[in-house]
Amino acid sequence: MIHINRGSSLLFLLPIYALLLSPRAHALFEEQAGKHDWLKENVGRITLATTTGAKAFVATEANLIAAIDTKRGTVAWRQPLMEEEHVTGLVHHQKHVITLSQPGNIVRVWTSRDGSLVWASNSRAAPKETAHLSTKFRLRQQKTDTEKGFLSASLSLAQTPDGGVYICVFYDGLVTAWDFQNAVEAWTMRLDDNLNNGAHFLTTGRKGKELIAMVESKGKALLWSLNPSTGATSGSKEIPLKAPLTTDTAKAVAGGFLILDQGERKVQFASVGATLSVTATEKIGAVDTIQASPKSDVLVLHGKKGSELLSLAALPNNIKSVTALDLPESATSKRPAFGFVKGSGNTSGRLSIVRAYSTTDSKLHASVYNIEDNSEESVASGVPFPSSQSGSVDLIWAQYLKKSAQYRVLLVSETNMMAAAQRSASGLLWKREEALASVLQAQILPLPIITGSKESAGKFPGFLERLRIQAEEVTSAVSELVGNPAGLLNVEDDETDPLKGDYFGLQKLVVVLTKPGVVFAIGSRDGSIVWTTKLQSGKWAGMATVNPGLLVFYSRDGDVAAVKALTGAIVSESKIQKMDVVSKLPLYTSGYWLLERGGAIVRPDASHAAGAGRFRLMLSTNFDGEKGQSVLIPPTEDAVELFESYSDRVYMHQVSLEQDAVSGFAVVTGDGKKGTYPLERIWTVRFPHGFERISDVSVPDPDSPIHSAV
């Protein structure tokens, strides 16, 4: 008979049980090498959009065009353009998407079904990497003038008397027409050889069979009427301007253009034929922008106190005011977002207007206005909207769904969140965090061990303590299973919370800082967003981990924010000097508070405590010629005392790329405000003329600061 001591057997079997009871691990097969576990496919902030059916076709700041499924919020297809391009025109026609991009004045035609490139006006404009090669490429070589840079350009579709469709582009005083069906250049017309880089505008007559061009030149608006079949001009006109034309003060409409005179609060309709003007109502205050569409009979005047809707249905004979719209005091923005939509009761086939705004109680409100009968239809009323994290509604589009006889509103928030809402849904249909398309910096953080023990719960232990807790968890689990071996088959892996169950350090938290100032924490297991925090407005440049549970974010303008890693709660914020360099110091303090913008030290309450442990000090430095200044982060009494005891060992280095020189600065203490230190230049090394440009400086001393340019 063999007797096995229970205690020693547990120690002997510990490695085996540790393997059996570990959270589920995902094995990697050979064919899985290089594959991702999860992917966030973003498109970026929308700059242009058009909708049809259940899709929205968009151009974005991320240099791509894409199709978004408006029902689910998924990307149907996306096509990246060349790195230096930006899209200036986007239209949809007969199951195709047509884009105009600069520089190079490139016209492309894509299939709306899958984003395949049908043809491009320049053979070099074909995407280098594309999954859509099913349709043949019809490419034509076109000379590009890169020396002219980004000139204003305008895109419009014109119909010929025989039913053909031409893609017309107005660029650098030249109108070019491309045959949509045959992918050939139909004609070109040089309108003026002496045009400057003023704004170019192009539109069609109200029946689509006349082409009208307008450009700003030498304080005047020059207009021409062209035959869309041949490009021959049939008339021209000059209109004096009081200010340069911009996309905020001039809009193309059917039959001509609308020009805003901000000083006189007047809008003038300009065409080669008749002209007329209308004055905005005093109720909406000073008018700074206008909004209109060639496919709509609605003009929106945006004022400081509200907005006014005007009817363009009687152009060129009359512009009629319909209604003035106020905003409730609870609105998060001083101006609502307006867009165009084909209304359900609009018998003319022209587009109606949709308005949306969010309120301070995190609600979304949207309505469609039909100017034919001056009626209003609610699309979303009190729909939950994360305005505290996403900001106010910035851009909006809408669709009318014939099958359900409902409107669907598509919107973009101040922080680039894209979302959809409709009347039949109690909340948002979907949302996409498109701020993730403009990542400034990302850091992978270890998660704390979450256990039932009060001693270790929520802590970020080191390797030895983590190993001890892992052993305790395994021993406890083995003890429970000694009398119940079947329990081995029912080991649960907690996937409900990405912040729990991390006994073996396999899960991580990916913290991402984006250009709009939104911070995301993403679980490494499945890519789910754990928390989102919106920082105050600023040109955020980077972040640093000063403690496993605390992150510090900083901007070029001197904005600093401390954020808890597990919750996203902002511990404190500060406004200090402008930053050229942020340096991590090999010094630690036991508390972390920043100066409030008013100048007083903030002692956090229980909900905003930075937590226990050691917090790394940082130094913000601004160089100004022979002088410079550094600010300690955080400026607490303990941190100041610690830093000043080591300040004689702290040196800052400045690299001058223009003068091929490196300078060293010493920190001067005891002079001025605590936590703020002037710098004194103590040496400069200049390299011989013609020496290779300096790109970086390496400091071998391990106790020296670690520099990171802002």
Side-chain angles (χ1 to χ4, degrees), residues 247 312 413 615:
T247 54
L312 305 176
S413 77
F615 300 89

Side-chain angles (χ1 to χ4, degrees), residues 306-320:
S307 303
E308 183 178 6
L309 304 185
L310 298 96
S311 173
L312 305 176
L315 280 179
N317 301 316
N318 183 31
I319 300 177
K320 179 182 178 182

Side-chain angles (χ1 to χ4, degrees), residues 83 105 108 180 239 290 493 515 533 636 646:
E83 186 176 353
N105 205 33
R108 294 184 181 92
F180 167 75
I239 298 176
I290 60 176
D493 185 13
K515 189 175 181 180
T533 293
T636 60
Y646 285 90

Side-chain angles (χ1 to χ4, degrees), residues 629-648:
Q629 182 172 273
S630 292
V631 175
L632 186 64
I633 306 173
T636 60
E637 295 177 2
D638 294 342
V640 169
E641 181 180 355
L642 177 63
F643 174 75
E644 293 188 356
S645 66
Y646 285 90
S647 60
D648 59 340

